[in-house]
Amino acid sequence: MNLIDSNEKLIPTLKKYFGYDSFRPQQEEIVTSFLAGEDCMVIMPTGGGKSICFQLPALLFEGLTLVISPLIALMKDQVDGLKANGISASFFNSSQSTDEHQKILEQVANKELRLLYVAPESLSYLEVVLNNENLSAIAIDEAHCISAWGHDFRPSYQMLGYLKKKLPKVPIIALTATADKATRQDIVEQLGIPKAKQFITSFDRQNIYLEVRPADDRIKQIERFLKKRTTESGIVYCLSRKATETLANKLNNIGYNAKAYHAGLSFDERSKVQEDFVYDKTQIVCATIAFGMGIDKSNVRWIIHYNLPKNIEGYYQEIGRSGRDGLKARALLFHSYGDVIQLRKFMVGAGNEELQIAKLERMKQFAEATTCRRKILLSYFGETLEENCGKCDVCDNPPSFFDGTIIAQKALSTIARLKESEATGMIIDVLRGAQNAAVMEKGYQTIKTYGIGKDVSWKYWQHYIIMLINQGYSEIAYQENNALKLTALSKKVLFERYKVNLNHPPEIDKIKVAVPKKEGKLQRRETNGLFERLRILRKNIALEENIPAYLVFSDAVLTDMEKELPKTDNELLSISGVGQRKMEVYGEEFLREIAQFVKEQKKKPKKKSTFQVTLEMFQNGLSISDICEERELQETTVYSHIAKLYVEGAEIPIHDFVSQEEVKQIKEAQKALSNPEALKPYFEFFEEKMPYHKIRLGLSVINKETT
Ligand code: ADP
Ligand code: MG
């Protein structure tokens, strides 16, 4: 097929086979280049949508697309997924018999297959069919496995260089979620595709909500977290084998279906845990880091890090395993200083100790951040996010900031004057006019900014500089003794008076105030019960067909069905993720279930108000923070419910929240301020010492007394 024809076919083919109406960012460019015969190197975050980049071209190339994939255990799922979409595909690996192998070779020779998955170890058995006549394209998934620089080196990947030598005309596409430059370079060189067109997509996975909590009483916190997620799949990452087992046991004891997964289990045991998880037979896996690569299960709804991960790359890959379907997912990290010490201990004496420790330091900074966490993550991957994300705990509950532009200018100009060659410690020494030997030896006392930050303590400077790094105003160069560098943004601060917001180190910000944030909040999944019914239907079908449930339809498809209530085949087809084959095979059953639901709905009374829901939970003994968590609401919102309910006469022990004495003070403030509309004047009147919720509730009490 020529290129123009195939370009016109991209979207119809995407819809017909995968059910999607549009491409995700860069997928189209990648697909087009690959179809034109160019070698490609794709860097996309976990869950970003790499598979389409070779699966769609495979449908448009004349011959076979060979897919190299490292995990035998997961090939079957990937092939099942393709088959469920009506695409003829197979896999070839050491788990199969000679007969099966023979059959596949025949299928290839007869040109019956679009895609063939193979592990690198088995490649030599395919020698007979690896020629220009049969083969149109080669995809190398998880391509970082070829590089010893990457985090998951596999020696068998190193023979892949021979593919390009043997078949110079067959285009190769290499795909990975590992972003760093050294690894990327190594991959293209080893594969013999140094001129490969590189595609680096954004690492932003907006549907994943980021949250960090102190690691006090983790089990209890997890228990609470799970209350709302009784059927949702998730993974808890732990540092030790023992922790995975203890935790899995505890979760089983309180009624969850959880399993441990770690390197101490046999291969078979591990495969079983993995399979049960993928097939929705096990809800929760408590795993050491060895779990999850290559699992394409799209309905993993949450990830918990029981311990601090050792670097941001690892953390990001792990949380990326949630929410592949694009629906909201949640990443919760527990942070403790004990973990930091423990991890540091492992690192001491390692070959690249300094680098590892520096990376751990960045992880720690992320966990301790007082600015948008997503900004920090993305700046780590070299991206700048201009606006705060609104989908992390810090955005939802931000500390109070002041204009730190001058402080930032002082620090950044010191970095510039020290020629971007010094680490944080020296920058602070110079700012504070330190007279130690290191400063003197280098003659830094003559630098123009020497001593301009005397009035600020060492500790505060350190905090401010971390904040500057976290916000992308500066970067650490690990390979250059952690020297601080300027960025494009820092130049804006130095030369364009770009405003920088800073806050003080945590301990003086004792009063925590929840600031309501409307925009940017993740869409809450309001369910009317249909989703659950469709989920059960999906599970039954999956059991019958012996494929993972998410391969029947993703959670995203079920959610859309719940919203759209399709009545006809065409309406069903218009849902993203419903392709031709799935409509034909599963359409009838799903449409029937939906119709049945709609019929029953018509007979039912109307649903409860949001205030009523809060009241019922409160009366059932849930605390305010429980309610916030369960309902994914802001504390301010829940308190405003409580206030309204109280005023309307609901039975609320209001003085548990605001004492008589406090009400009196608020009454006085009301008089002094001549009864302002907003709460802020009160907050300021009390010198920020009376939290907003008390003010709000106090006013309700006064309001109720006077009416
Ligand atoms: P990874 O980059 O980790 O290999 P996958 O290829 O497994 O990611 O894709 C992640 C999820 O995104 C899958 O469920 C896939 O079906 C979905 N997806 C990929 N491309 C699109 C698209 N254009 N529209 C909607 N969903 C998509
Ligand atoms: Mg993948």
Side-chain angles (χ1 to χ4, degrees):
M1 188 184 310
N2 72 41
L3 207 58
I4 298 165
D5 283 351
S6 74
N7 276 349
E8 277 176 2
K9 287 198 167 140
L10 292 184
I11 294 281
T13 311
L14 182 69
K15 180 66 202 170
K16 179 173 173 202
Y17 287 95
F18 300 95
Y20 302 135
D21 305 309
S22 60
F23 285 106
R24 287 195 182 155
Q26 299 231 40
Q27 281 178 333
E28 183 164 13
E29 291 85 333
I30 296 165
V31 164
T32 309
S33 298
F34 193 42
L35 277 169
E38 288 183 80
D39 294 325
C40 301
M41 167 88 208
V42 174
I43 318 285
M44 212 183 256
T46 306
K50 289 185 281 296
S51 315
I52 293 281
C53 300
F54 58 86
Q55 290 175 345
L56 181 68
L59 295 167
L60 297 166
F61 278 126
E62 293 266 340
L64 178 75
T65 295
L66 190 71
V67 184
I68 315 289
S69 171
L71 296 153
I72 295 180
L74 297 163
M75 276 180 196
K76 184 175 173 297
D77 294 339
Q78 300 187 351
V79 167
D80 283 344
L82 288 163
K83 286 184 180 159
N85 282 327
I87 299 167
S88 103
S90 192
F91 61 88
F92 189 104
N93 64 37
S94 55
S95 73
Q96 296 159 307
S97 65
T98 332
D99 279 356
E100 284 172 293
H101 282 169
Q102 200 49 44
K103 200 175 138 222
I104 292 162
L105 292 178
E106 276 163 28
Q107 283 180 310
V108 174
N110 296 336
K111 305 194 188 308
E112 288 167 19
L113 293 178
R114 297 276 92 221
L115 294 111
L116 179 62
Y117 281 70
V118 60
E121 295 84 359
S122 306
L123 206 50
S124 55
Y125 298 101
L126 290 175
E127 194 68 24
V128 281
V129 292
L130 290 188
N131 53 52
N132 283 319
E133 209 200 309
N134 287 321
L135 208 62
S136 283
I138 298 171
I140 299 179
D141 205 4
E142 314 286 357
H144 58 275
C145 292
I146 200 171
S147 173
W149 293 93
H151 51 84
D152 198 27
F153 174 57
R154 305 204 167 208
S156 60
Y157 256 65
Q158 294 209 301
M159 28 188 208
L160 297 179
Y162 109 105
L163 285 170
K164 195 72 199 178
K165 285 197 201 105
K166 178 162 190 230
L167 301 158
K169 291 214 182 85
V170 176
I172 292 183
I173 186 168
L175 312 105
T176 173
T178 299
D180 83 84
K181 254 192 199 145
T183 312
R184 231 185 291 154
Q185 194 58 31
D186 199 25
I187 294 171
V188 290
E189 274 166 21
Q190 290 206 50
L191 288 176
I193 52 168
K195 298 220 174 75
K197 203 162 170 186
Q198 301 219 2
F199 297 90
I200 302 170
T201 71
S202 166
F203 266 61
D204 197 1
R205 292 279 315 278
Q206 298 184 11
N207 59 320
I208 304 177
Y209 186 93
L210 307 169
E211 182 176 14
V212 180
R213 292 190 205 162
D216 314 326
D217 220 345
R218 277 173 276 201
I219 306 264
K220 204 176 236 146
Q221 293 202 57
I222 292 175
E223 231 177 277
R224 262 187 29 195
F225 179 90
L226 290 176
K227 257 197 220 157
K228 158 110 193 272
R229 300 172 170 83
T230 46
T231 58
E232 293 181 2
S233 293
I235 307 172
V236 188
Y237 286 106
C238 307
L239 205 55
S240 71
R241 294 177 189 183
K242 188 144 183 289
T244 63
E245 288 184 344
T246 319
L247 185 62
N249 272 338
K250 287 203 171 133
L251 293 177
N252 278 311
N253 289 342
I254 55 169
Y256 292 96
N257 186 350
K259 295 245 170 69
Y261 180 101
H262 54 72
L265 301 176
S266 71
F267 178 81
D268 287 346
E269 286 169 316
R270 271 183 290 155
S271 305
K272 175 90 172 89
V273 174
Q274 184 152 297
E275 185 177 313
D276 284 353
F277 182 64
V278 169
Y279 280 67
D280 285 2
K281 291 175 190 163
T282 296
Q283 186 199 346
I284 300 167
V285 172
C286 305
T288 50
I289 44 163
F291 182 76
M293 186 180 75
I295 289 192
D296 287 344
K297 181 175 163 71
S298 71
N299 61 337
V300 178
R301 294 263 68 88
W302 54 265
I303 303 286
I304 291 178
H305 282 90
Y306 193 82
N307 301 99
L308 191 76
K310 54 179 190 286
N311 55 46
I312 290 186
E313 285 93 341
Y315 170 71
Y316 206 60
Q317 293 233 336
E318 283 155 14
I319 66 169
R321 290 175 189 142
S322 67
R324 279 169 181 268
D325 50 17
L327 291 185
K328 68 175 196 158
R330 210 166 173 103
L332 170 60
L333 163 70
F334 288 114
H335 177 39
S336 83
Y337 205 70
D339 287 346
V340 178
I341 294 169
Q342 178 95 22
L343 285 167
R344 268 183 165 263
K345 255 195 235 150
F346 292 153
M347 289 170 185
V348 171
N352 48 358
E353 175 181 334
E354 256 174 60
L355 182 65
Q356 285 204 36
I357 288 182
K359 288 192 167 198
L360 174 63
E361 192 56 30
R362 286 298 287 279
M363 189 65 230
K364 184 168 149 276
Q365 285 164 9
F366 168 81
E368 287 165 2
T370 50
T371 54
C372 172
R373 294 200 200 273
R374 190 165 265 99
K375 268 194 176 169
I376 300 175
L377 277 184
L378 292 179
S379 86
Y380 186 84
F381 294 114
E383 278 178 57
T384 35
L385 195 63
E386 297 247 331
E387 296 283 319
N388 288 340
C389 76
K391 292 162 208 153
C392 71
D393 55 344
V394 180
C395 282
D396 271 349
N397 215 340
S400 42
F401 288 104
F402 63 90
D403 182 347
T405 311
I406 301 213
I407 290 177
Q409 285 170 341
K410 286 180 181 173
L412 297 177
S413 80
T414 303
I415 294 172
R417 284 172 198 280
L418 297 185
K419 304 204 164 50
E420 302 178 54
S421 67
E422 296 289 352
T424 312
M426 181 59 87
I427 306 290
I428 298 176
D429 274 350
V430 172
L431 279 164
R432 293 187 30 82
Q435 300 185 342
N436 60 37
V439 172
M440 297 297 152
E441 254 164 43
K442 294 192 167 174
Y444 287 162
Q445 69 278 23
T446 61
I447 296 256
K448 192 150 172 230
T449 57
Y450 180 76
I452 52 164
K454 265 207 278 302
D455 50 329
V456 175
S457 74
W458 172 280
K459 201 177 143 200
Y460 273 52
W461 270 121
Q462 192 176 32
H463 174 82
Y464 296 146
I465 290 176
I466 290 172
M467 288 199 71
L468 291 173
I469 296 167
N470 285 347
Q471 295 183 81
Y473 296 111
S474 174
E475 298 172 334
I476 303 178
Y478 293 109
Q479 278 94 337
E480 297 173 40
N481 295 320
N482 304 327
L484 294 187
K485 302 278 174 186
L486 299 180
T487 65
L489 265 187
S490 41
K491 290 178 186 141
K492 287 194 181 176
V493 178
L494 287 172
F495 307 118
E496 295 169 31
R497 298 166 157 261
Y498 201 81
K499 188 176 163 209
V500 178
N501 290 320
L502 295 174
N503 75 341
H504 298 300
E507 71 266 21
I508 64 158
D509 267 352
K510 283 229 173 72
I511 312 160
K512 279 243 156 65
V513 181
V515 178
K517 179 145 175 75
K518 289 207 182 67
E519 357 132 70
K521 185 93 174 101
L522 279 184
Q523 199 194 340
R524 220 174 311 128
R525 209 185 75 208
E526 298 282 3
T527 173
N528 54 20
L530 177 57
F531 180 89
E532 187 55 21
R533 286 172 60 161
L534 297 176
R535 194 181 70 83
I536 291 166
L537 172 63
R538 172 178 77 176
K539 183 151 191 192
N540 290 336
I541 294 175
L543 282 176
E544 267 168 40
E545 300 202 356
N546 196 25
I547 57 172
Y550 73 89
L551 289 184
V552 175
F553 282 128
S554 69
D555 280 7
V557 171
L558 301 193
T559 304
D560 280 355
M561 287 183 185
E562 184 183 62
K563 257 188 258 154
E564 312 280 333
L565 302 173
K567 291 186 285 295
T568 62
D569 284 0
N570 270 336
E571 284 175 12
L572 189 61
L573 259 183
S574 75
I575 285 176
S576 174
V578 184
Q580 192 65 35
R581 180 183 177 270
K582 287 191 181 171
M583 196 274 289
E584 283 163 12
V585 183
Y586 309 127
E588 206 186 311
E589 276 179 277
F590 280 86
L591 287 175
R592 201 183 317 126
E593 187 73 23
I594 293 166
Q596 181 66 28
F597 176 83
V598 170
K599 211 165 102 194
E600 288 169 21
Q601 241 9 47
K602 284 197 182 130
K603 297 182 196 145
K604 269 199 189 156
K606 251 182 76 201
K607 72 174 222 194
K608 285 177 242 161
S609 77
T610 177
F611 305 102
Q612 206 57 36
V613 178
T614 296
L615 181 62
E616 277 175 22
M617 289 180 147
F618 186 73
Q619 286 169 340
N620 285 335
L622 270 72
S623 69
I624 299 298
S625 62
D626 287 339
I627 298 175
C628 291
E629 188 159 316
E630 294 252 331
R631 303 201 60 200
E632 292 186 21
L633 292 175
Q634 296 289 312
E635 238 176 46
T636 3
T637 312
V638 175
Y639 277 120
S640 75
H641 291 179
I642 296 285
K644 185 175 149 80
L645 288 161
Y646 174 75
V647 171
E648 287 174 355
E651 243 179 74
I652 306 260
I654 201 79
H655 292 305
D656 288 0
F657 300 115
V658 54
S659 69
Q660 302 273 19
E661 177 54 33
E662 284 162 338
V663 174
K664 212 172 113 207
Q665 289 170 7
I666 294 167
K667 209 182 258 175
E668 278 155 20
Q670 192 178 37
K671 216 178 269 163
L673 296 165
S674 38
N675 197 9
E677 281 277 319
L679 299 184
K680 197 161 182 209
Y682 289 95
F683 188 61
E684 283 164 0
F685 181 88
F686 293 117
E687 293 175 335
E688 310 192 352
K689 288 194 183 85
M690 174 92 71
Y692 274 104
H693 76 266
K694 289 199 182 219
I695 301 172
R696 185 189 299 276
L697 294 172
L699 288 170
S700 309
V701 175
I702 297 164
N703 185 0
K704 197 172 175 200
E705 279 168 3
T706 53
T707 52

